[in-house]
Amino acid sequence: MNRAFAFRAIGLAALVALAALPWMADNYVVRVATTMLMYCALALSWNFIGGFTGYPSFATAAFFGLGAYVGGVLQNMGLFLGLAWLAAGLVVVVFAAVTGRAILHLKGHYFAIASLVIADVLREIINGLTSITGGGMGLNLTAPAMGVEAQSRLFYFSMAVVAAVALATTVWLDRSRLGFGLRCIEQNEDAAIRIGVGTARLKTIAFALSSVFVGIVGAIYASWTVYIDPSEAFDILISVKPIVMTLLGGAGSVLGPVYGAFLFLLLEETVWRNFLHVHSGVLGLLVVLLILFMPRGLLGAGSRLRVATWLRPERAAKRRAGS
Amino acid sequence: MLYLQILINGVLLGGLYSCIAVGFSLVWGVLNIINLLHGSLMILGAYAAFFAHAAWGIHPFLFAPVAGLLLFLVGLALQAGIVNRVMGAPVLITLTLTFGLNLMLDNAMIVAFKADYRKVILDPPLGLLELGNLLVPLDRLYVMALALLLVAGLYAVLRFTSVGRAIVAVRMDRDAAALMGVEVKRIYALTFAAGAFMAGAAGSLMSVIFPISPLTSNAFLGKAFVICVLGGLGSTPGVMIGGILLGVLESFGTLWLGPDFSTTIAFVLLLALLVFRPSGLMGRKGFE
């Protein structure tokens, strides 16, 4: 039995387990699994712009919140659930293409800040549009008319479909010409321009790709939790968590974000669920430890726990210089 | 007359804003790190001033340099222990690291000080200065004067001392500075600590005119961003003018659009500037 076969067998087993889960496990587990699939979709989406293209985007919260509100408002106007979700994805992808055109010429810190601020501007606008969005009081949605079990299955499988499509897109991108172009930009944008990569167009596509699934997931999340408010829907942590997950798993890899999302959720549910009042502090500690000791993630090339490097930076530098 | 009053309010606010932003700008320019801790370091300074005032009755104006020194030490420890290890890493890494540190510090402050709003109440209050129909709250006037004094002090240090010249040299060209015998790592640590000093001192001044809570740190961080982009990186006078400009803009924004939208103006302005003039109104090109 070779490794590729074993790998496929494990993958298949995981798929079967995921499909059977809503009938096997209790509501709590299904809820956690739904969250995990949502995290997968978010991390895979960020990987398009942050991992493949190497642009430090903090726009995930903007796409998420916008998708949640577009989906929520449309649903309240009486649109069929699935259509409202798709419409949210459509609005978000157009929004991302337009803003991407405007800010993707920025580099480094300036791009990071510009992408971060989008969410703040959207939050304030939605806060102000009280007649449509309910403003700071939030937006109430009606739950679909079906049993509780059926509802939890509906949202579980909806999230699963989005996560699966995001994963399939990643697999395709990994082998496509477009993905190659994005990797060129990540390596050296000036050189990419020299050899004829249309960087502006490619970056915009990557940014739009990184938005569409987030928008849909945001809309599903809104229907799922039945209530959204601006400060929660545009929370900066929604931008940061996918980055942490992707870094945890290995940025730019295909399955890294999936592993990262799984591990992250595991930590979230087991470790800091028990320390509610220091929840964000423990998340911060995780981020710091991750950056210091494992900056390339689990799947990154040459990744090793770097405790030794941290303790003796000079010696590690010497070793690097020598090798 | 109303406009003149609003203008005065804005300028009074802008002085403090400059003081908050100048340390942030220094760290960004020299270390090429966006220090997301800056707002929280400032709040920490404000808490130090609050407790010094509550326990020993020390006036926050007098306490400002002490708060600065305390934060200087905190900054030195952070830089030497943690931040120095990611120097030169991609933006994503440094930004995420300071974000994580900020989460920890904010959380620690909420646990230690609670999220309630506190404020230093001066006894007796400083009162108002009346110039015809114009009102100038004296506490704000003094805060502005002291804040601008601190900014001028930092400018003088950068301009006239050998350490300051070394910091500027590292900002201009790290490798060339290293070849001239500047110990770059030491300069990094000192610069980060100096940024923290300014944050702590600004926080101490702030405690007199604004309520203090860990929840407000990000609002001040956002303002520091806007001011840096307004004034351009790497110029202390630019930051000073950017700070006052933001103060004035916010005052007029509050007048015309209501208090809810005063922060929105800052963010929209920031986005517009980033898109059209990423090197700032007065910044030089070449700072990434």
Side-chain angles (χ1 to χ4, degrees):
Chain A
M1 194 159 80
N2 59 15
R3 267 181 75 175
F5 179 77
F7 196 71
R8 268 180 208 159
I10 293 171
L12 203 66
L15 270 184
V16 171
L18 273 177
L21 185 93
W23 285 274
M24 313 289 289
D26 63 11
N27 268 332
Y28 167 73
V29 176
V30 177
R31 218 171 60 87
V32 171
T34 311
T35 309
M36 193 201 81
L37 292 166
M38 180 171 96
Y39 281 178
C40 278
L42 295 181
L44 284 162
S45 294
W46 185 82
N47 197 28
F48 295 136
I49 186 75
F52 280 90
T53 323
Y55 267 62
S57 165
F58 284 77
T60 309
F63 302 146
F64 188 89
L66 187 63
Y69 266 96
V70 171
V73 168
L74 287 177
Q75 193 197 322
N76 274 359
M77 284 163 65
L79 204 64
F80 180 65
L81 265 193
L83 278 180
W85 296 343
L86 288 180
L90 195 69
V91 170
V92 168
V93 83
V94 170
F95 175 81
V98 173
T99 46
R101 270 280 161 188
I103 65 168
L104 279 163
H105 68 92
L106 300 167
K107 293 214 174 64
H109 291 122
Y110 288 105
F111 175 77
I113 295 176
S115 65
L116 189 76
V117 169
I118 296 173
D120 288 307
V121 173
L122 283 179
R123 182 198 302 123
E124 297 299 327
I125 291 174
I126 284 184
N127 238 331
L129 291 173
T130 313
S131 57
I132 307 171
T133 62
M137 292 176 303
L139 186 69
N140 283 302
L141 289 90
T142 41
M146 53 176 85
V148 179
E149 298 249 308
Q151 268 183 42
S152 70
R153 262 172 232 153
L154 169 71
F155 293 119
Y156 174 81
F157 282 112
S158 306
M159 289 288 189
V161 168
V162 181
V165 177
L167 182 60
T169 311
T170 309
V171 171
W172 164 76
L173 193 67
D174 187 44
R175 298 155 187 212
S176 73
R177 207 180 143 81
L178 174 63
F180 187 76
L182 295 180
R183 289 221 157 99
C184 286
I185 294 173
E186 197 259 335
Q187 296 278 317
N188 186 334
E189 190 165 349
D190 293 327
I193 294 172
R194 279 263 170 268
I195 59 169
V197 177
T199 55
R201 197 174 63 89
L202 260 54
K203 283 188 291 185
T204 310
I205 294 175
F207 199 57
L209 265 183
S210 84
S211 76
V212 59
F213 303 117
V214 176
I216 297 176
V217 158
I220 299 177
Y221 177 82
S223 308
W224 182 33
T225 54
V226 207
Y227 170 80
I228 42 172
D229 70 62
S231 59
E232 186 204 1
F234 292 100
D235 188 356
I236 178 162
L237 283 181
I238 300 175
S239 291
V240 175
K241 280 181 182 176
I243 299 177
V244 176
M245 294 171 208
T246 312
L247 289 179
L248 199 62
S253 62
V254 173
L255 283 174
V258 177
Y259 294 144
F262 180 72
L263 260 180
F264 186 90
L265 189 82
L266 209 66
L267 284 170
E268 196 169 54
E269 282 300 310
T270 54
V271 181
W272 66 79
R273 199 160 62 96
N274 303 318
F275 306 98
L276 273 183
H277 57 293
V278 290
H279 174 260
S280 64
V282 176
L283 174 62
L285 184 66
L286 173 72
V287 170
V288 172
L289 292 178
L290 178 69
I291 295 285
L292 286 180
F293 299 128
M294 221 174 58
R296 289 184 202 151
L298 295 172
L299 297 186
S303 70
R304 234 177 294 136
L305 276 181
R306 297 203 312 175
V307 181
T309 317
W310 190 75
L311 292 173
R312 300 249 173 96
E314 303 83 18
R315 186 186 286 182
K318 231 178 262 169
R319 203 185 314 133
R320 263 195 304 257
S323 64
Chain B
M1 212 53 182
L2 175 65
Y3 287 152
L4 198 58
Q5 177 70 52
I6 301 280
L7 187 68
I8 290 175
N9 291 352
V11 172
L12 289 179
L13 207 56
L16 179 64
Y17 285 179
S18 318
C19 188
I20 295 169
V22 75
F24 181 77
S25 163
L26 182 71
V27 171
W28 187 352
V30 177
L31 277 73
N32 198 22
I33 279 184
I34 288 190
N35 181 19
L36 294 178
L37 276 167
H38 198 78
S40 303
L41 291 175
M42 194 193 90
I43 298 293
L44 198 60
Y47 271 113
F50 174 83
F51 287 116
H53 181 262
W56 303 301
I58 303 175
H59 198 291
F61 290 167
L62 289 177
F63 190 73
V66 184
L69 273 179
L70 283 175
L71 269 291
F72 185 90
L73 296 177
V74 172
L76 213 55
L78 276 173
Q79 174 69 23
I82 298 173
V83 183
N84 246 341
R85 298 174 192 277
V86 298
M87 291 305 303
V91 174
L92 181 70
I93 299 290
T94 56
L95 208 58
T96 316
L97 178 73
T98 58
F99 183 85
L101 289 171
N102 188 42
L103 278 182
M104 290 166 68
L105 181 56
D106 271 356
N107 204 166
M109 285 201 291
I110 287 180
V111 170
F113 308 135
K114 306 280 177 284
D116 308 338
Y117 286 84
R118 302 181 200 231
K119 190 166 181 286
V120 172
I121 311 280
L122 293 179
D123 185 40
L126 288 168
L128 286 167
L129 183 68
E130 288 183 41
L131 300 165
N133 285 333
L134 298 174
L135 297 176
V136 180
L138 274 177
D139 51 356
R140 294 202 173 209
L141 185 67
Y142 290 144
V143 166
M144 183 192 79
L146 289 170
L148 291 182
L149 195 69
L150 281 167
V151 174
L154 181 70
Y155 183 68
V157 166
L158 290 178
R159 189 95 204 156
F160 302 115
T161 66
S162 60
V163 175
R165 296 281 73 193
I167 289 176
V168 175
V170 172
R171 174 167 76 204
M172 288 175 168
D173 189 329
R174 191 186 53 194
D175 297 330
L179 288 175
M180 296 301 119
V182 176
E183 281 182 62
V184 176
K185 285 232 157 168
R186 218 182 109 236
I187 292 300
Y188 281 157
L190 278 175
T191 308
F192 195 85
F197 179 97
M198 294 305 283
S204 185
L205 295 179
M206 187 210 76
S207 68
V208 179
I209 57 175
F210 285 127
I212 317 162
S213 161
L215 305 176
T216 56
S217 65
N218 284 336
F220 288 106
L221 182 69
K223 291 187 207 303
F225 270 145
V226 181
I227 293 163
C228 278
V229 179
L230 262 175
L233 268 189
S235 109
T236 311
V239 170
M240 215 164 91
I241 293 166
I244 292 174
L245 209 58
L246 180 69
V248 171
L249 278 172
E250 276 192 1
S251 294
F252 279 100
T254 313
L255 173 69
W256 287 325
L257 300 170
D260 295 344
F261 281 99
S262 71
T263 47
T264 322
I265 297 169
F267 285 136
V268 172
L269 187 73
L270 174 62
L271 212 52
L273 271 170
L274 281 171
V275 172
F276 297 112
R277 272 210 69 113
S279 52
L281 294 176
M282 282 171 299
R284 283 157 287 169
K285 287 229 160 193
F287 286 101
E288 203 185 40

